[in-house]
Amino acid sequence: MRRSLAGVALAVTSMVALSFLIPLGALVMSLVKEQSVTAAEQRAAALAPVLTLTTDPSALRESAAGLDAAEHLVIHLPDAQSLGDSQAPVKLLERAQQGRESISQKTPGGWICLQPVVLPGDRVAVIENFVPDEELTRGVKASWAVMLLLAVGLVGGSVLVADRLGAKVVRSSKKLAQASHTLGQGNLDTRVEPMGPKELRDAGIAFNAMAHRMTELLAIERELVADLSHRLRTPLTALHLASERMAGTPESARVEAAVHALESELQAIITAARTPLAVGPMGHGMRSAETETETGTGRQATGTGPAPECPRCEAADVVRRRTAFWAVLAEQQNRPCSLDLTQEPTAVGLSDDDIAAVVDALIGNVFSHTPPGTAFGVRVARTAQAVELVVEDSGPGIPEPDRALSRGSSTGSSGLGLDIARRAAAVTGGTMRIAHGPQGGAHITVVFALAPPLRPERGPRGSRRRARWWPRKR
């Protein structure tokens, strides 16, 4: 934008400067030429009274020497004698003598002025004054140079002013765009300082109002989720009492374990819904912290605002726990369940709740869209740069994998589960693939990029400090 504004200023100012420079340059040349010709005519006219008094060559030379540019003055006497080197064509001299006509015109090499003088006895003498081309253009180049410098200064000044104005506008626009991008990534504390032109200031004020309103709406929504989740405690308590009445039956232990697991999940939902609104990659709350630096006497906070801690977890551990939870229900439905976990580290840049949500969504789809008795398997593999989570089953599969990733596009499904998995993979820079597995059913692969290793910080004397998670560059 700065370049565009500077280009517009350059074009407009250049056109204005040229529109003045061209006529002004021509006017300067015309004035210099006119002044030179007028001066030549005046010198010839000044010598005419002397010629009427005497025709003595020595007296005439002495009179001509007292005038400026005497070397170009030539006197043609009636007896064909010429005092000086004539530059006038013969025809012009004859015309001036015979026609007694004053002649001033352009000739090769300069400008010629012929002034006839009538002497006693009806004789005619001619005074010739020749003005060379360098006299006709003396000072023109210097005047043009001065005008050109003024024009260049004017153009440069206008471009500089336009660039400064453009820089102010661009700076305001960049800050507003950066704030919008940061807000889109989930930092709800992002605000901008209104600056720049009135329109951009109004846009900054509107952005702050929008961000504040968005925070309020999200807080209301999260509180509503927490309230709705809390209302589920009543039927959960009834289930707990029913399981106690079933004590002594073969199913009581399973029911009791399922009730406790459901109660833990419900408590986790309520806790997550009521965390502060500094949301992370998948919408979970993150603690606010200030950046700390080590000083000579202790730690000193240098941050100017809240800085979220980046999440991190071992994906294989979370998958093991969640698969064990679903294995209880799989046993009740006679579903063969297999679990294959890598022994290598599987650290990814997501929280335990994020990975758990992905596993629950994928395994929950197996239970929702396949009949009881359908086998499924969960596998976690490690590659050089990523962690792969694979969930496959022996059911009918997914007929349209591309449409399955869109919410509400699949018949009988909201598409929310697959969308949760896809977004979780995208947060880490990974991908998600849907295909047909070896057993003929769905084969879903979620690829999470590995989190960067923890780098311990060292104090002034090389002492090891707490490890900090360094975000991976994308």
Side-chain angles (χ1 to χ4, degrees):
M1 186 174 182
R2 289 177 59 183
R3 185 177 300 177
S4 299
L5 290 176
V8 171
L10 176 62
V12 173
T13 314
S14 299
M15 293 175 61
V16 174
L18 288 176
S19 64
F20 281 97
L21 280 178
I22 294 175
L24 191 59
L27 179 60
V28 169
M29 176 176 281
S30 176
L31 288 176
V32 171
K33 177 182 176 181
E34 184 178 352
Q35 289 177 357
S36 299
V37 173
T38 302
E41 293 176 349
Q42 289 176 351
R43 286 193 293 269
L47 194 58
V50 179
L51 191 60
T52 57
L53 296 177
T54 179
T55 58
D56 182 43
S58 59
L60 292 176
R61 287 192 182 96
E62 184 178 355
S63 299
L67 300 175
D68 296 332
E71 66 274 12
H72 299 301
L73 279 173
V74 180
I75 301 174
H76 300 276
L77 297 175
D79 55 0
Q81 181 182 4
S82 297
L83 303 180
D85 297 329
S86 176
Q87 301 289 336
V90 178
K91 292 183 178 181
L92 286 182
L93 284 174
E94 294 178 354
R95 175 181 165 187
Q97 287 178 342
Q98 296 175 3
R100 301 180 182 183
E101 175 184 358
S102 297
I103 298 176
S104 178
Q105 68 177 40
K106 184 75 173 63
T107 60
W111 192 274
I112 196 73
C113 296
L114 299 177
Q115 178 66 42
V117 179
V118 180
L119 301 178
D122 201 25
R123 295 179 302 167
V124 178
V126 177
I127 302 174
E128 172 190 338
N129 197 351
F130 178 74
V131 183
D133 287 335
E134 55 268 18
E135 293 291 335
L136 295 175
T137 58
R138 176 177 297 177
V140 173
K141 292 183 179 180
S143 300
W144 285 357
V146 172
M147 290 188 293
L148 183 60
L149 288 177
L150 291 176
V152 170
L154 177 63
V155 173
S158 64
V159 171
L160 181 61
V161 171
D163 180 72
R164 291 297 88 200
L165 293 176
K168 189 175 182 180
V169 174
V170 169
R171 191 182 305 114
S172 304
S173 302
K174 283 185 176 180
K175 287 187 176 181
L176 185 59
Q178 184 179 3
S180 301
H181 183 69
T182 305
L183 181 65
Q185 289 181 335
N187 188 355
L188 300 181
D189 294 330
T190 301
R191 298 294 185 273
V192 296
E193 180 182 356
M195 57 183 299
K198 181 180 182 301
E199 292 76 9
L200 287 178
R201 290 199 303 270
D202 293 342
I205 295 174
F207 175 85
N208 292 338
M210 177 195 68
H212 181 70
R213 181 57 178 165
M214 183 185 300
T215 304
E216 289 181 346
L217 293 177
L218 286 176
I220 295 173
E221 181 181 357
R222 291 166 69 86
E223 191 64 28
L224 179 60
V225 170
D227 292 343
L228 293 177
S229 301
H230 193 272
R231 290 169 60 183
L232 293 176
R233 288 185 177 275
T234 300
L236 186 62
T237 303
L239 286 176
H240 187 72
L241 295 176
S243 67
E244 291 180 353
R245 289 196 298 268
M246 293 173 59
T249 63
E251 298 294 330
S252 62
R254 293 181 180 178
V255 173
E256 186 68 21
V259 169
H260 281 296
L262 182 59
E263 187 173 7
S264 299
E265 289 298 317
L266 191 59
Q267 182 61 36
I269 292 175
I270 294 175
T271 303
R274 286 179 173 171
T275 51
L277 278 175
V279 296
M282 290 292 293
H284 296 290
M286 299 186 298
R287 291 181 300 166
S288 298
E290 289 184 333
T291 305
E292 295 177 344
T293 58
E294 195 76 11
T295 63
T297 58
R299 291 184 179 179
Q300 177 181 0
T302 59
T304 57
E309 293 183 356
C310 298
R312 183 186 180 92
C313 73
E314 284 290 331
D317 295 341
V318 180
V319 173
R320 180 187 295 109
R321 294 196 302 268
R322 298 313 303 160
T323 305
F325 169 79
W326 286 98
V328 178
L329 183 58
E331 184 179 353
Q332 295 179 359
Q333 295 187 359
N334 298 320
R335 294 177 181 268
C337 174
S338 62
L339 177 63
D340 183 11
L341 301 177
T342 180
Q343 299 301 318
E344 299 182 68
T346 56
V348 296
L350 292 173
S351 65
D352 291 2
D353 292 339
D354 294 336
I355 299 296
V358 173
V359 177
D360 291 344
L362 297 181
I363 299 180
N365 281 344
V366 175
F367 281 82
S368 300
H369 301 290
T370 60
T374 302
F376 70 94
V378 180
R379 183 173 76 256
V380 176
R382 161 75 183 270
T383 63
Q385 301 292 334
V387 175
E388 294 185 354
L389 170 63
V390 179
V391 177
E392 56 183 348
D393 59 70
S394 58
I398 300 177
E400 296 180 283
D402 294 335
R403 293 188 58 194
L405 292 176
S406 301
R407 296 188 181 189
S409 60
S410 301
T411 304
S413 173
S414 64
L416 178 59
L418 295 178
D419 184 67
I420 290 175
R422 180 189 61 79
R423 288 190 294 112
V427 165
T428 65
T431 57
M432 177 177 174
R433 301 188 300 270
I434 301 178
H436 292 284
Q439 302 177 6
H443 182 93
I444 302 175
T445 304
V446 184
V447 181
F448 303 102
L450 284 172
L454 291 172
R455 301 180 184 179
E457 295 183 2
R458 295 185 180 273
R461 299 181 181 177
S463 60
R464 189 177 296 275
R465 294 173 56 191
R466 63 181 178 86
R468 175 176 293 178
W469 188 84
W470 292 76
R472 182 175 60 85
K473 292 183 179 180
R474 297 179 186 172

